C-alpha cells in the first residue's frame, strides 16, 4: 500500500466550471449519424427516425454543447446540400472518410435532435475548400430572423425562429496535411481573420473559435498558434486544441500519464496566446476551445477507411474503438486536466458521441449501450458545479518514457458556494498496489459524503461489448469516510474515482 496526501480549500479557486466544458462532437463519419443517432427502421425510432434509446443515453451522459458537422468532413461540405426538401438533397462523396453522404440528416434535423437531447449547437464552417462568403451565408441562414433571401429560405424550409447559433468554429485542423484545403499558418490566419470580421459584421454577438494545431505533436505546434493569433487576435474569442491518446506498444505507464501531456499542451497554448496579446499590448485574453479530446487507437484497423475508386459506402463501420477499463481511467484523468484549467478552457468537446470513438455504441436493429468511458463523463458532468478548486497533491511518483516522472495520483475539486455542494475527482496511475488517500477537506467547512464512484476492473482490459454490455461499470467506494475534516479513501491500482460532498452547517 502506498499513501497520498491531498489538500483543497474553497479559498483557492481556479475559475468557474462552465457547462460548455462538458460538450460533445457529432461528425458525419461512419455510423455516427446514420445507423447511430438516426435509424428510421429501428423499433426505438421516433417520428423523425431518431433512436429514443440513444437520446436517453445522450441525456444521461450530460452533454452541454455539440460541435457539428465535422471534423475533417466539414472541409469538403456544402451546407446548402443539407437543407431543403429531403428528396432534392444531393448524394455527395465525402472525401475525408471515403464515404457517401446522403444528406438525409442536415442542419434542421440535427437541430431538432439537439432539442430532444437538451444540448446546444456549435457549428463549424468550411474554410478548407470554401471561404468567407459561404460562411457568412450559413450564418445568415442560421441566425438572421427574417427579411432576406437566405433567412426566408430557412423559414420556407420549415424553421421560423433562427437557430441562433452562439459558437462557430472557423474551419477544422487547417494545419493538418490530411485536411482538404490545408494551408500555411499565414494563409489560414488571413482567411480566418477576414471570415471572422465578415461574420461579426453580420452578428457581432457570436463567439468564434480559430483553429489551433491539430495536436501538440505537430511540427508547426506553437508557431502555428503564434502566427494564426497574430492575424486573428482581435476577431476571435477562442483557439482550438485537439488531443487523442492511446497505449503504444504496451507502455501503459506513459498512457496512464496522458493527462500530464494535456496539462502541458493547454499551458503552452495559453502562454503563446498571452505572448501574442502582450506583443499587441492587448488586455483581451483568448480562451481555449478544447474541441476534440479522447482516447483513440488511430492505428487500429477500426480506423481504416475504404480506398477503392468504386467503394464509397454509406455509414461504414469506421473508428469503432472498443474501450477498456484502463482507457476509461485515462479518459477520466483527461477530464480532471480540463477542469484544472477551467480559468482558460472555456469549452471542450468530447470526440465523439455515438459509435465513432464514442461513449455510446449501437447495433443496427439492436441495442444501445454504454462504453467504459461513458461513466467518468456522465459522473463528472453531473457533479462538477460552481468553481474548480486547486488540489495540492503529495504522492509517490512513477517514471514514464513519454512524460517523465509524474505523480501516481492526480486530482481536482469543484465547489458550489451557493448550494454547499463539492466534488473531488481522482485518478490513481499506480499499477502495482493500492493507494491510501487522505484529503484535507476542512477548507470546505463541515461536510458529509453524499455519493462515491469507483471505476476499476481487476482486468484493466475488460470492456463492454454487444455480447456483454454491462461488464464494466462503477461501484461505490465502501471505505470512504470523513473524520475531523479529513476524507479517507483507498483506491485500487489503475482507478478513477469521484466523491460528492455537501456542507452540513
Ligand atoms: O474525430 C475524428 C477526426 O479527428 C476528426 O474528423 C478530425 O478533426 C480529427 O483529426
Amino acid at each position: 500500500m502506498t499513501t497520498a496526501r491531498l489538500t483543497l480549500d474553497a479559498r483557492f479557486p481556479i475559475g468557474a466550471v462552465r457547462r460548455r466544458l462538458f460538450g460533445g462532437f457529432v461528425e458525419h463519419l461512419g455510423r455516427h449519424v446514420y445507423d447511430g443517432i438516426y435509424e428510421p427502421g429501428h423499433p426505438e425510432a421516433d417520428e423523425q427516425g431518431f433512436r429514443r434509446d440513444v437520446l436517453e443515453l445522450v441525456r444521461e451522459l450530460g452533454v452541454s454543447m455539440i460541435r457539428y458537422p465535422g471534423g475533417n468532413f466539414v472541409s469538403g461540405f456544402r451546407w446548402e446540400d443539407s437543407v431543403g426538401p429531403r428528396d432534392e438533397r444531393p448524394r455527395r462523396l465525402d472525401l475525408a472518410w471515403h464515404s457517401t453522404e446522403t444528406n438525409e440528416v442536415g442542419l434542421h434535423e440535427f437541430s431538432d435532435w439537439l432539442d430532444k437531447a437538451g444540448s446546444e449547437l456549435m457549428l463549424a464552417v468550411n474554410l478548407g475548400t470554401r471561404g468567407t462568403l459561404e460562411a457568412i451565408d450559413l450564418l445568415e441562414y442560421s441566425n438572421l430572423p427574417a427579411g432576406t433571401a437566405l433567412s426566408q429560405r430557412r423559414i420556407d424550409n420549415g424553421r421560423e425562429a433562427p437557430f441562433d447559433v452562439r459558437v462557430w468554429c472557423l474551419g477544422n485542423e487547417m494545419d493538418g496535411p490530411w485536411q482538404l484545403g490545408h494551408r500555411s499558418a499565414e494563409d489560414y490566419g488571413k482567411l480566418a481573420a477576414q471570415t471572422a470580421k465578415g461574420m461579426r459584421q453580420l452578428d457581432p454577438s457570436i463567439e468564434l473559435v480559430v483553429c489551433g494545431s491539430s495536436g501538440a505533436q505537430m511540427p508547426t505546434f506553437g508557431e502555428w498558434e503564434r502566427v494564426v493569433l497574430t492575424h486573428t487576435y482581435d476577431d476571435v474569442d477562442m483557439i482550438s486544441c485537439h488531443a487523442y491518446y492511446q497505449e503504444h506498444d504496451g507502455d501503459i505507464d506513459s498512457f496512464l500519464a496522458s493527462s500530464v501531456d494535456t496539462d502541458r499542451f493547454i499551458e503552452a497554448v495559453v502562454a503563446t496566446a498571452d505572448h501574442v496579446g502582450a506583443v499587441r499590448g492587448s488586455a483581451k485574453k483568448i480562451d481555449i476551445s478544447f474541441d476534440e479530446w479522447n482516447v483513440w487507437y488511430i492505428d487500429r484497423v477500426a480506423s481504416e477507411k475504404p480506398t477503392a475508386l468504386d467503394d464509397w459506402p454509406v455509414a461504414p463501420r469506421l473508428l469503432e474503438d472498443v474501450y477498456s477499463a484502463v482507457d476509461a481511467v485515462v479518459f477520466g484523468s483527461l477530464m480532471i486536466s480540463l477542469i484544472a484549467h477551467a480559468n482558460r478552457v472555456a469549452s471542450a468537446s468530447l470526440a465523439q458521441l455515438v459509435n465513432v470513438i464514442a461513449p455510446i455504441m449501437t447495433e443496427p436493429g439492436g441495442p444501445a449501450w454504454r462504453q467504459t468511458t461513458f461513466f467518468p463523463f456522465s459522473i463528472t458532468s453531473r457533479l462538477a458545479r460552481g468553481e474548480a478548486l486547486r488540489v495540492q497533491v503529495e504522492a509517490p511518483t512513477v517514471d514514464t518514457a513519454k512524460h517523465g516522472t509524474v505523480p501516481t495520483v492526480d486530482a481536482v475539486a469543484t465547489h458550489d458556494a451557493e448550494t454547499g455542494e463539492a466534488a473531488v475527482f481522482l485518478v490513481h496511475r499506480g499499477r502495482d498496489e493500492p493507494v491510501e488517500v487522505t484529503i484535507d477537506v476542512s477548507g470546505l467547512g463541515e461536510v458529509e459524503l453524499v455519493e462515491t464512484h469507483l471505476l476499476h476492473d481487476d482486468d484493466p482490459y475488460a470492456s463492454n461489448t454487444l455480447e456483454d454490455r454491462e461488464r464494466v461499470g462503477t461501484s461505490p467506494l465502501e471505505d470512504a469516510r470523513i473524520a475531523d475534516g479529513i476524507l479517507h479513501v483507498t483506491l485500487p491500482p489503475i482507478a478513477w474515482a469521484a466523491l460528492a460532498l455537501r456542507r452540513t452547517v
Side-chain angles (χ1 to χ4, degrees):
M1 178 91 74
T2 60
T3 57
R5 246 177 41 184
L6 277 52
T7 311
L8 57 95
D9 196 306
R11 289 170 301 179
F12 302 131
I14 298 167
V17 180
R18 293 167 263 204
R19 289 314 299 160
R20 284 180 181 162
L21 215 48
F22 307 105
F25 173 31
V26 170
E27 178 165 8
H28 281 250
L29 194 183
R31 295 194 307 123
H32 200 160
V33 175
Y34 309 110
D35 278 358
I37 66 172
Y38 175 78
E39 193 185 334
H42 193 279
E44 289 279 350
D46 67 11
E47 65 297 342
Q48 286 186 288
F50 293 123
R51 281 183 64 159
R52 288 193 182 88
D53 52 350
V54 175
L55 272 166
E56 212 170 289
L57 287 174
V58 172
R59 282 192 292 262
E60 182 186 327
L61 194 62
V63 205
S64 52
M65 181 167 72
I66 299 186
R67 183 168 172 249
Y68 178 82
N72 296 339
F73 169 80
V74 83
S75 293
F77 179 57
R78 302 165 176 94
W79 69 265
E80 302 87 336
D81 290 350
S82 81
V83 300
R86 267 180 165 165
D87 53 2
E88 291 171 21
R89 296 185 196 169
R91 288 167 74 90
R92 298 274 191 200
L93 295 184
D94 164 13
L95 299 182
W97 301 107
H98 212 280
S99 307
T100 296
E101 173 56 53
T102 63
N103 284 304
E104 208 174 323
V105 171
L107 180 57
H108 291 249
E109 294 78 19
F110 189 68
S111 165
D112 290 345
W113 182 82
L114 285 172
D115 289 344
K116 295 176 189 190
S119 302
E120 181 190 352
L121 178 60
M122 176 191 207
L123 269 185
V125 299
N126 175 356
L127 288 191
T129 53
R130 306 190 94 191
T132 303
L133 188 61
E134 291 90 344
I136 295 173
D137 282 352
L138 176 57
L139 176 62
E140 181 179 333
Y141 184 91
S142 303
N143 283 13
L144 200 78
T148 63
L150 283 169
S151 54
Q152 188 56 44
R153 192 154 142 205
R154 180 195 71 241
I155 295 165
D156 293 345
N157 287 337
R159 171 86 187 201
E160 184 74 38
F163 292 108
D164 194 27
V165 181
R166 298 287 86 219
V167 187
W168 295 76
C169 302
L170 298 165
N172 177 68
E173 295 191 346
M174 298 306 301
D175 66 324
W178 58 86
Q179 198 70 221
L180 267 177
H182 151 242
R183 56 198 80 204
S184 68
E186 275 288 339
D187 290 351
Y188 169 67
K190 286 179 193 161
L191 174 62
Q194 176 186 315
T195 306
K197 282 187 172 73
M199 291 175 79
R200 282 241 164 93
Q201 268 176 268
L202 196 164
D203 184 350
S205 69
I206 55 172
E207 293 170 55
L208 292 171
V209 183
V210 73
C211 288
S213 300
S214 46
Q217 74 292 343
M218 295 300 286
T220 49
F221 174 60
E223 187 56 4
W224 172 275
E225 278 74 6
R226 188 190 67 76
V227 173
V228 165
L229 282 176
T230 298
H231 286 288
T232 58
Y233 204 86
D234 297 334
D235 303 309
V236 303
D237 305 283
M238 288 173 266
I239 182 157
S240 69
C241 287
H242 291 182
Y244 293 101
Y245 299 96
Q246 59 179 313
E247 186 184 330
H248 281 287
D249 307 321
D251 180 5
I252 190 165
D253 286 330
S254 294
F255 181 47
L256 282 164
S258 298
S259 65
V260 173
D261 180 75
T262 313
D263 294 339
R264 292 175 186 157
F265 183 12
I266 293 170
E267 285 152 26
V269 174
V270 166
T272 308
D274 288 353
H275 163 77
V276 178
V279 171
R280 303 172 72 80
S282 173
K284 175 181 175 181
K285 292 282 182 217
I286 299 287
D287 281 333
I288 288 178
S289 165
F290 213 118
D291 49 43
E292 288 190 32
W293 68 269
N294 203 347
V295 172
W296 178 10
Y297 289 88
I298 197 167
D299 306 324
R300 284 190 187 159
V301 182
S303 291
E304 276 174 20
K305 50 190 182 192
T307 50
L309 189 56
D310 59 353
D311 189 12
W312 299 87
V314 174
R317 287 184 188 258
L318 286 177
L319 281 64
E320 299 206 4
D321 284 10
V322 176
Y323 291 117
S324 66
V326 66
D327 293 331
V329 169
V330 170
F331 182 103
S333 72
L334 300 180
M335 297 196 83
I336 290 175
S337 174
L338 293 173
I339 296 173
H341 294 91
N343 55 331
R344 294 303 288 271
V345 182
S347 164
S349 314
L350 164 63
Q352 300 198 9
L353 207 55
V354 179
N355 289 331
V356 172
I357 46 173
I360 299 167
M361 295 300 289
T362 72
E363 200 46 37
W369 66 98
R370 302 169 186 83
Q371 291 236 52
T372 58
T373 52
F374 185 96
F375 303 103
F377 193 101
S378 61
I379 294 168
T380 308
S381 166
R382 182 169 60 81
L383 296 181
R385 288 279 182 275
E387 294 198 292
L389 301 184
R390 198 172 69 78
V391 177
Q392 181 68 32
V393 177
E394 294 161 73
T397 56
V398 57
D399 295 332
T400 72
K402 277 199 188 147
H403 311 299
T405 303
V406 307
T408 51
V409 173
D410 193 17
V412 74
T414 60
H415 177 239
D416 186 337
E418 249 169 60
T419 62
E421 288 169 341
V424 185
F425 305 96
L426 294 154
V427 63
H428 181 211
R429 301 176 175 128
R431 284 199 287 134
D432 304 322
E433 40 188 343
V435 61
E436 206 178 280
V437 186
T438 54
I439 313 172
D440 186 339
V441 292
S442 56
L444 296 176
E446 290 275 310
V447 287
E448 63 182 1
L449 265 174
V450 185
E451 51 183 286
T452 64
H453 304 272
L454 169 70
L455 196 150
H456 160 84
D457 200 288
D458 289 342
D459 173 5
Y461 295 103
S463 55
N464 296 339
T465 58
L466 174 61
E467 294 73 34
D468 194 356
R469 299 195 288 277
E470 295 185 5
R471 166 69 181 80
V472 180
T474 56
S475 56
L477 280 151
E478 303 293 359
D479 78 330
R481 67 193 165 86
I482 300 179
D484 301 326
I486 306 291
L487 200 170
H488 301 258
V489 63
T490 306
L491 299 182
I494 312 182
W496 173 88
L499 303 116
L501 313 165
R502 185 173 46 212
R503 200 169 49 221
T504 52
V505 282

